[in-house]
Amino acid sequence: MLGSLPIAQRARARLEGLGHYALLVRETWRSLTRHPWERGAFSQQLHRIGVQSQPVVLVTGAFTGMVLCAQTLYQFHKVKMDTATLAVVSVSMASELGPVLTGLMVAGRVGAAMAAELGTMKVTEQIDALRALATHPVDYLVAPRLLAALVAMPVLTSESIAIGILAGYATGVGLLGMDPAYSWHNMVRYTHPADVLNGLIKSVFFGGLVATIGCHKGLQCLQGAEGVGKATTEAVVAASIAILISNFFLTLTLNRILG
């Protein structure tokens, strides 16, 4: 009985955390739809998420496309399907690797920063000061970050998909001797608009997860520097796991809807 008590306490804490997260999501959505959001804060967050995340997203997309092209070509060459390589690269980058890897990179860079910033504000009682000035923290802090993530993530994902396909093409044709005309023809033939739409819808969902989880961990931060560090780590881990798990269900759902 005593041995099961810590497990029960941890389970209760997890459920309470999920409840607080659900309440934050509902409150943020209400803030976006019913209250005027801070345009200055939105522009600042859009620059942080969209512009400053471009280098890491582009490097990740480019080298993923190059490795995927090389590995696929080595395997397809065994069955004389070399010209289908670029089609596999384009469909994989558009529907799966582009949105998922972009989401993970943004979670590591932006989600951690959101948790650290809001956690520091809570520890130094700046959030209490906002309430004292009749400024709701969700309206001022969370809503602009969520809206900026929802806008920036599809753009970042589009860039990752494009650079991944171009890098794969350059690797296959320039380094590994792939036939350029047939490879490009097969890529255009087998990559459908639904594949790209699939990836962009996922990116919006992943952007929402990164922003809300990062803000939630920051607002639930414990006192002290240790609490801020723990909140930052938990934000990255929770957002990454949420992206990977939700990607499975989104893949099943979107492929059933989009065909």
Side-chain angles (χ1 to χ4, degrees):
M1 183 68 182
L2 291 176
S4 63
L5 187 59
I7 297 177
Q9 288 178 343
R10 286 199 295 270
R12 180 179 177 181
R14 297 287 183 189
L15 291 175
E16 288 179 351
L18 288 175
H20 290 148
Y21 173 71
L23 291 174
L24 177 65
V25 172
R26 187 184 69 173
E27 196 171 358
T28 305
W29 180 252
R30 285 182 175 176
S31 175
L32 286 175
T33 55
R34 297 182 181 180
H35 302 291
W37 34 274
E38 292 288 336
R39 296 182 184 276
F42 167 73
S43 301
Q44 185 183 41
Q45 293 302 320
L46 189 61
H47 182 266
R48 287 182 179 178
I49 300 172
V51 177
Q52 296 183 355
S53 297
Q54 283 188 337
V56 67
V57 168
L58 292 177
V59 170
T60 302
F63 279 92
T64 300
M66 294 164 69
V67 170
L68 179 62
C69 180
Q71 189 62 38
T72 304
L73 181 59
Y74 290 144
Q75 301 304 317
F76 276 19
H77 183 69
K78 299 175 183 177
V79 292
K80 310 300 180 187
M81 292 178 59
D82 300 30
T83 58
T85 298
L86 197 58
V88 173
V89 173
S90 64
V91 173
S92 300
M93 287 299 302
S95 60
E96 295 295 337
L97 294 177
V100 170
L101 291 177
T102 302
L104 293 177
M105 291 300 105
V106 173
R109 185 187 171 278
V110 176
M114 288 182 182
E117 187 176 6
L118 269 63
T120 303
M121 292 181 68
K122 183 182 179 185
V123 169
T124 56
E125 300 181 350
Q126 294 181 55
I127 292 179
D128 293 334
L130 286 176
R131 290 195 175 95
L133 295 171
T135 300
H136 200 290
V138 172
D139 296 343
Y140 187 74
L141 298 173
V142 183
R145 285 169 170 79
L146 174 60
L147 188 60
L150 295 179
V151 173
M153 277 296 289
V155 179
L156 291 172
T157 301
S158 301
E159 294 175 348
S160 176
I161 293 170
I163 196 69
I165 294 174
L166 291 175
Y169 179 84
T171 301
V173 174
L175 295 178
L176 302 176
M178 209 165 59
D179 184 276
Y182 281 112
S183 297
W184 194 263
H185 171 76
N186 285 335
M187 186 199 75
V188 174
R189 180 180 180 184
Y190 292 109
T191 305
H192 304 294
D195 298 320
V196 180
L197 185 60
N198 188 322
L200 295 181
I201 293 174
K202 286 181 179 180
S203 70
V204 175
F205 193 81
F206 295 160
L209 286 176
V210 170
T212 53
I213 290 175
C215 292
H216 167 68
K217 293 297 182 182
L219 293 174
Q220 296 295 317
C221 173
L222 300 177
Q223 292 296 320
E226 184 181 356
V228 176
K230 186 178 180 182
T232 304
T233 303
E234 287 181 349
V236 176
V237 173
S240 300
I241 292 175
I243 287 172
L244 294 174
I245 293 176
S246 63
N247 181 57
F248 171 72
F249 295 102
L250 285 171
T251 297
L252 296 181
T253 303
L254 293 175
N255 277 287
R256 189 180 294 274
I257 295 174
L258 300 175

